[in-house]
Amino acid sequence: MAAPLAGQAGAVLRDLALRSARLRGEFPAVQLTPRRWLNLQEYQSKKIMADHGVTVQRFFVADSANDALEAAQRLKAKEIVLKAQILAGGRGKGIFNSGLKGGVHLTKDPKTVEQLAKQMIGYNLSTKQTPKDGVTVKKVMVAEALDISRETYFAILMDRACNGPVMVGSPQGGVDIEEVAVTSPELIFKEEIDIFEGIKDRQALQMAKNLGFQGALQQQAADQIKKLYNLFLKIDATQVEVNPFGETPEGQVVCFDAKINFDDNAEFRQKEIFAMDDKSENEPIENEAAKYDLKYIGLDGNIACFVNGAGLAMATCDIISLNGGKPANFLDLGGGVKEAQVYQAFKLLTADPKVEAILVNIFGGIVNCAIIANGITKACQELELKVPLVVRLEGTNVQEAQRILSESGLPITSASDLEDAAKKAVASVARKITP
């Protein structure tokens, strides 16, 4: 019997279901593009998995057409799949500015691999998830193509509700798992793992059974599940998602595609993995923000959001939308804040020509509101801020922060709560466009 989803596992699926509802127009809200701060290419994730004993397709990576030909010949596979390596999804239906259609191709001829690679490497690939001009392909993955007789879904995530990892699986894989969670919740299975005892043989076998593996494949799938859990712990992952987790006609269980999320706080002991971070496809402003430990996501509105914490950022964006405005971004200040960070944050926000107002929404738990206030006044004075600024501060040292702002003599609009702040920010933009 499927256990109810909880914690991060359930939250992920519930969030995706909510997005579907929003897209159907059932209620207005902002849709944020999910991303992890450590970005790995497909071949990098597959190598990490292979290094930990997880079964993946045999593959090589090439950065020239000649290398791609040699890789295809070395594989000695019945059929070869050639994949352009970019971070954006939708490669299969993408278009290159060389004229080639599709970033994923199947062939049995190594010479065809070479010809295709010539039209991929060094050219821009445009998909639904890339900028308009596309992303330059610098590498391709040349892999053994395997037939899939059945596809399942498997993931391991950190679950706050049970203070540890959970396995989430479904016998319906290769499709959007969030859709399965909405239409067939009985096909979603969850199993909590005691982080001190580790995964047990019976748990891995039961999950393999729930996923529909039978006979010898059931034990093989259980072994792969245990290896994935060991990988999850060893690399300090917050999520390892395999879709599809499939079986081949030859009787092999293979992780065909995977997404790995990492705990940023573990960077100090995962230096080798974090050194692989591919920032080449980020917007320049995102890379600039990262230099100051700021997390920036650009949106298409005109009200800049300056907050501390991703959850507060999303709430702020949603409330702006509910009050008739459109967020231009969200910029997450994080916890250990310094005045210099606040200054740099304002510098980034004011450099965006779309920004017509700035909303600062800070809840000071570990953040000292007075530091924020000092940073705001310094930024306003030195950058000669020319757009309306609405500030809502709450928490640690808030009285001192309010004093600093009120005595600054700057045209700063204070707000009593988030709803008040959103209304004032939206109104300030409306006043600017009123004839």
Side-chain angles (χ1 to χ4, degrees):
M1 181 177 179
L5 292 169
Q8 185 180 359
V12 168
L13 299 178
R14 283 194 296 272
D15 178 59
L16 290 165
L18 286 172
R19 288 182 188 169
S20 298
R22 287 170 179 170
L23 290 173
R24 293 193 297 270
E26 294 175 11
F27 51 89
V30 175
Q31 182 178 3
L32 297 178
T33 304
R35 73 175 59 207
R36 60 178 188 270
W37 304 115
L38 171 60
N39 294 308
L40 297 186
Q41 298 284 1
E42 179 186 9
Y43 75 90
Q44 294 172 315
S45 294
K46 274 191 163 66
K47 183 179 186 305
I48 290 171
M49 295 175 78
D51 289 346
H52 288 81
V54 176
T55 301
V56 298
Q57 297 153 283
R58 294 186 297 119
F59 72 92
F60 296 104
V61 180
D63 55 14
S64 71
N66 187 58
D67 286 347
L69 171 63
E70 291 182 6
Q73 292 170 335
R74 286 166 62 195
L75 275 176
K76 296 180 180 179
K78 293 180 181 178
E79 192 169 24
I80 302 158
V81 59
L82 181 67
K83 292 185 174 185
Q85 294 299 284
I86 63 171
L87 297 172
R91 290 174 296 175
K93 295 181 179 180
I95 299 175
F96 286 89
N97 60 355
S98 65
L100 179 67
K101 293 184 178 180
V104 179
H105 288 266
L106 285 167
T107 180
K108 296 180 179 179
D109 184 2
K111 281 287 186 184
T112 302
V113 170
E114 180 184 29
Q115 293 304 314
L116 289 168
K118 283 181 180 178
Q119 300 175 76
M120 288 184 176
I121 298 171
Y123 290 97
N124 283 15
L125 174 59
S126 298
T127 77
K128 288 183 178 180
Q129 294 186 17
T130 65
K132 184 179 177 181
D133 294 332
V135 172
T136 304
V137 173
K138 298 176 181 177
K139 296 179 186 292
V140 293
M141 185 174 76
V142 185
E144 175 185 28
L146 296 175
D147 291 328
I148 308 176
S149 56
R150 201 174 64 86
E151 297 178 321
T152 75
Y153 171 92
F154 178 75
I156 305 171
L157 315 97
M158 277 297 180
D159 186 346
R160 291 188 179 186
C162 68
N163 295 318
V166 294
M167 296 187 290
V168 179
S170 174
Q172 286 195 14
V175 295
D176 290 337
I177 193 63
E178 64 273 13
E179 192 65 30
V180 177
V182 172
T183 59
S184 306
E186 72 279 2
L187 294 180
I188 301 290
F189 296 88
K190 175 195 160 192
E191 179 76 24
E192 296 180 9
I193 300 173
D194 187 314
I195 198 165
F196 297 106
E197 295 182 8
I199 189 169
K200 297 175 181 176
D201 290 345
R202 62 171 178 79
Q203 289 180 301
L205 277 168
Q206 183 59 50
M207 180 57 75
K209 183 178 178 181
N210 290 340
L211 297 182
F213 291 101
Q214 298 178 354
L217 284 175
Q218 195 172 105
Q219 183 60 58
Q220 192 182 146
D223 290 341
Q224 288 295 301
I225 286 170
K226 287 189 287 186
K227 287 177 179 178
L228 285 165
Y229 178 73
N230 291 334
L231 162 71
F232 175 83
L233 285 186
K234 192 169 182 181
I235 65 174
D236 288 301
T238 56
Q239 174 179 294
V240 174
E241 182 184 46
V242 183
N243 190 20
F245 182 54
E247 60 183 72
T248 68
E250 294 77 26
Q252 189 178 24
V253 177
V254 179
C255 297
F256 285 95
D257 201 359
K259 183 184 294 183
I260 305 176
N261 291 6
F262 298 87
D263 183 352
D264 288 347
N265 295 316
E267 181 176 359
F268 72 97
R269 63 185 180 198
Q270 299 292 347
K271 293 187 182 298
E272 189 174 331
I273 289 175
F274 276 78
M276 292 190 277
D277 192 7
D278 189 336
K279 297 179 180 176
S280 62
E281 295 178 33
N282 288 355
E283 291 291 331
I285 192 170
E286 293 173 17
N287 290 334
E288 185 67 20
K291 292 179 183 178
Y292 305 100
D293 292 326
L294 301 168
K295 292 182 172 66
Y296 180 96
I297 292 181
L299 300 171
D300 57 2
N302 56 2
I303 300 176
C305 303
F306 178 34
V307 302
N308 62 316
L312 191 60
M314 288 186 280
T316 304
C317 288
D318 276 350
I319 290 181
I320 287 173
S321 293
L322 288 169
N323 281 280
K326 288 187 176 181
N329 67 280
F330 88 61
L331 190 148
D332 179 6
L333 191 59
V337 183
K338 297 177 181 178
E339 282 185 32
Q341 280 180 296
V342 179
Y343 177 84
Q344 292 299 331
F346 267 80
K347 195 172 179 181
L348 290 168
L349 295 177
T350 54
D352 185 346
K354 300 195 310 293
V355 171
E356 297 179 16
I358 298 174
L359 193 164
V360 176
N361 183 27
I362 300 293
F363 187 84
I366 56 175
V367 172
N368 187 329
C369 290
I371 293 176
I372 301 291
N374 282 322
I376 289 173
T377 55
K378 180 182 178 183
C380 288
Q381 291 163 348
E382 295 188 13
L383 297 174
E384 298 181 355
L385 190 67
K386 293 180 174 62
V387 297
L389 173 61
V390 179
V391 178
R392 179 256 180 166
L393 299 175
E394 192 60 66
T396 303
N397 218 4
V398 68
Q399 289 82 9
E400 175 64 12
Q402 290 170 341
R403 184 194 65 77
I404 293 168
L405 294 178
S406 64
E407 294 179 3
S408 68
L410 296 166
I412 298 172
T413 302
S414 295
S416 58
D417 55 35
L418 179 51
E419 181 76 16
D420 183 43
K423 287 179 178 178
K424 287 177 176 176
V426 173
S428 71
V429 173
R431 283 195 299 272
K432 288 182 68 176
I433 60 176
T434 301

